[in-house]
Amino acid sequence: MSNRLLNIADLALIQELQLQVAEEVGIKTYIPIKDSIVQESLVRGMIFGSFLKDRLIAVCIGFSQKEDILIFNKILPKINLEQGFIRLAYVVSIEAREAGLIKILLKECLMAARRLGLNHALATVSPMNGKSIKILLDSGFQIVNVSEEHFGSLRYATYLDLNNIQLEIKSDIWIESTDIEQQSKLIERGFVGIMARKSDSGSTLIAYQQF
């Protein structure tokens, strides 16, 4: 496998990967990233991909939209997103999901965002997607909100300060990712989700810490 920065010539490969993933997980489940967003991110140098021989099997995409400022300003009123932010998403084929590729590609996107002088990184993820939650929290993101209102379906909103990505990981509060009510109460009290692990029963537990 090999990883590299993608460019506009790779647009067709990204489109093919999105179609493949839609077929693998189900058309109704997968929401593709719009071509206009992909093209803009390619021009900015904010898409990194993993290849198996000549086939694209995973990408991490960094993008920003004006509507994101409106949504995340409600969630993070103390953060000035006008200073520059990136929202991250990734597309991964089934064969690449156990290879740890997304964590590598995510790091590349974060480094590129810092080189561009951006200060904030955002991402959303379903509370039912334990693997993605762990990837984001292991990369320094914090869970700052859990809501269906802002995203159309139940999602964690996660945030990373690109100027301060080193956090002290220490928490005695672990909550099942499916316990939305308890997590919402902690977030209202100023707690953020910082880490994820599997319970003995196989469910996903989220560690919360107050800052």
Side-chain angles (χ1 to χ4, degrees):
M1 293 184 186
S2 61
N3 305 320
R4 67 171 173 83
L5 175 67
L6 303 187
N7 56 54
I8 199 67
D10 298 307
L11 176 60
L13 295 178
I14 298 172
Q15 292 171 329
E16 290 175 10
L17 176 62
Q18 293 211 89
L19 288 173
Q20 176 186 339
V21 172
E23 292 178 357
E24 290 174 345
V25 304
I27 297 295
K28 294 182 179 180
T29 302
Y30 179 68
I31 301 175
I33 301 168
K34 296 178 181 178
D35 280 350
S36 58
I37 293 176
V38 173
Q39 291 174 15
E40 180 181 345
S41 298
L42 286 169
V43 171
R44 294 182 72 187
M46 284 300 300
I47 301 185
F48 292 83
S50 289
F51 289 81
L52 180 60
K53 296 183 179 180
D54 294 330
R55 290 192 301 111
L56 183 64
I57 58 174
V59 295
C60 183
I61 299 175
F63 62 97
S64 56
Q65 297 179 287
K66 290 182 179 179
E67 50 262 43
D68 287 333
I69 294 180
L70 298 175
I71 293 172
F72 282 94
N73 273 347
K74 295 177 182 178
I75 298 171
L76 298 164
K78 296 181 180 180
I79 303 297
N80 183 8
L81 296 180
E82 298 288 352
Q83 294 176 344
F85 75 95
I86 200 74
R87 182 172 174 180
L88 297 168
Y90 41 85
V91 184
V92 193
S93 64
I94 288 179
E95 63 187 311
R97 290 180 186 176
E98 301 300 330
L101 296 175
I102 284 302
K103 189 175 290 187
I104 296 171
L105 298 179
L106 183 62
K107 182 178 179 181
E108 293 286 355
C109 274
L110 293 174
M111 292 173 62
R114 294 186 71 168
R115 288 194 295 269
L116 288 173
L118 303 179
N119 296 301
H120 313 290
L122 311 165
T124 70
V125 61
S126 167
M128 310 305 166
N129 190 341
K131 289 182 180 179
S132 289
I133 293 168
K134 182 169 174 53
I135 289 171
L136 288 170
L137 298 186
D138 285 352
S139 300
F141 283 81
Q142 304 170 3
I143 296 172
V144 295
N145 187 270
V146 54
S147 172
E148 185 173 351
E149 172 189 357
H150 298 298
F151 306 109
S153 60
L154 189 62
R155 309 282 289 180
Y156 285 133
T158 69
Y159 169 76
L160 174 64
D161 182 349
L162 291 173
N163 298 306
N164 183 28
I165 61 173
Q166 297 299 323
L167 296 173
E168 181 184 357
I169 305 299
K170 181 181 178 182
S171 178
D172 295 323
I173 302 177
W174 292 85
I175 300 178
E176 295 267 0
S177 65
T178 53
D179 190 345
I180 302 304
E181 181 179 357
Q182 186 62 26
Q183 291 176 90
S184 296
K185 289 179 180 178
L186 284 175
I187 290 169
E188 288 175 1
R189 291 168 52 196
F191 284 77
V192 294
I194 57 170
M195 191 164 45
R197 67 174 173 83
K198 287 288 185 182
S199 69
D200 293 339
S201 64
S203 61
T204 299
L205 298 174
I206 307 296
Y208 278 85
Q209 187 179 71
Q210 192 168 29
F211 285 87

